[in-house]
Amino acid sequence: MLTITNEDNMSLMSRYPDQHFDLALVDPPYGIGQDWKKHRGGSFRRLETQYQNTDIPSEEYFSELFRVSKNQIIWGGNYFTEHLPPTNAWIVWNKLKNAHIQSMGEMAWTSFSRTLRIYDLVWDGYKKCEQIRPWHPHQKPIRLYAWLLSEYATAGDKILDTHLGSGTIAIACSDMGYDLTACEENTPFYEEAMKQIGLRTAQMKIELS
């Protein structure tokens, strides 16, 4: 079941009891501003004015995230170190490409008691994408989310995503049979994500509210 809403993530999390979700798998804005605009082509122009990425989530956000979930994977955790405890269980997505404008990889903080893991996956989100067209400035591959779920989730787990973005996590959860509760505050992004998710999950029941 996919439960996806167009609302603020604090409002969503306030409705759930402590440790309701088994895994929070989130990709908050890193607060790096709009420099990405200089490097994007036509795929993003229609929605680019809707995207800011100027602020990182508040301390209250992280407190609430830790309250409602048993474990967490937080993309861009290296930008939020003032809110996250030290860990040796980082995840590194190695994009297997030489850096020029784009980063060679991305890092995720995790709450798990494991050693650092590296996942190799060639990715060029501006030119091609697996079964879903690239449209979000920070779209992550479906295969990346599928790997994360296979390594860090267990059958029957309830997954939380507080920043739906492109919606690729919803496609991975649908494909793998995980229940996902997610939200996206930005209405144009929410509508586009739902359109793209619907193309891949037409046979799945999507609960909207």
Side-chain angles (χ1 to χ4, degrees), residues 3-175:
T3 303
I4 304 173
T5 54
N6 178 201
E7 65 177 322
D8 175 76
N9 50 56
M10 295 296 285
S11 297
L12 182 150
M13 290 189 286
S14 70
R15 297 196 295 272
Y16 291 93
D18 294 356
Q19 296 193 324
H20 177 81
F21 299 99
D22 298 287
L23 174 63
L25 179 44
V26 301
D27 189 10
Y30 302 166
I32 58 177
Q34 299 187 33
D35 181 64
W36 59 272
K37 283 188 177 182
K38 296 184 295 186
H39 315 309
R40 301 297 192 266
S43 299
F44 306 97
R45 287 174 185 159
R46 182 167 62 87
L47 292 170
E48 68 176 6
T49 58
Q50 300 292 329
Y51 186 77
Q52 300 299 323
N53 195 11
T54 55
D55 299 306
I56 69 171
S58 65
E59 181 178 355
E60 289 73 21
Y61 164 81
F62 288 101
S63 295
E64 191 71 344
L65 187 73
F66 278 85
R67 181 188 69 80
V68 298
S69 57
K70 298 173 186 175
N71 281 294
Q72 304 80 30
I73 297 175
I74 303 174
W75 283 106
N78 45 308
Y79 292 96
F80 315 131
T81 52
E82 68 269 36
H83 300 307
L84 300 173
T87 182
N88 64 349
W90 289 89
I91 296 169
V92 178
W93 169 26
N94 178 16
K95 298 181 180 179
L96 297 171
K97 62 198 306 179
N98 294 323
H100 177 53
I101 292 175
Q102 298 171 254
S103 171
M104 295 176 68
E106 295 187 36
M107 299 174 63
W109 181 95
T110 88
S111 61
F112 293 89
S113 299
R114 303 184 185 182
T115 56
L116 182 146
R117 301 290 306 278
I118 298 174
Y119 180 60
D120 297 336
L121 177 61
V122 177
W123 178 243
D124 190 346
Y126 311 146
K127 295 181 180 178
K128 58 185 177 180
C129 186
E130 323 135 307
Q131 299 96 36
I132 176 172
R133 69 177 181 83
W135 65 272
H136 192 281
H138 297 299
Q139 186 161 321
K140 286 184 169 59
I142 299 167
R143 278 191 294 165
L144 176 62
Y145 281 118
W147 178 80
L148 290 169
L149 291 168
S150 67
E151 293 292 322
Y152 293 91
T154 303
D157 278 359
K158 295 188 291 290
I159 311 300
L160 170 68
D161 181 13
T162 58
H163 297 80
L164 180 70
S166 68
T168 50
I169 185 175
I171 295 171
C173 285
S174 175
D175 287 349

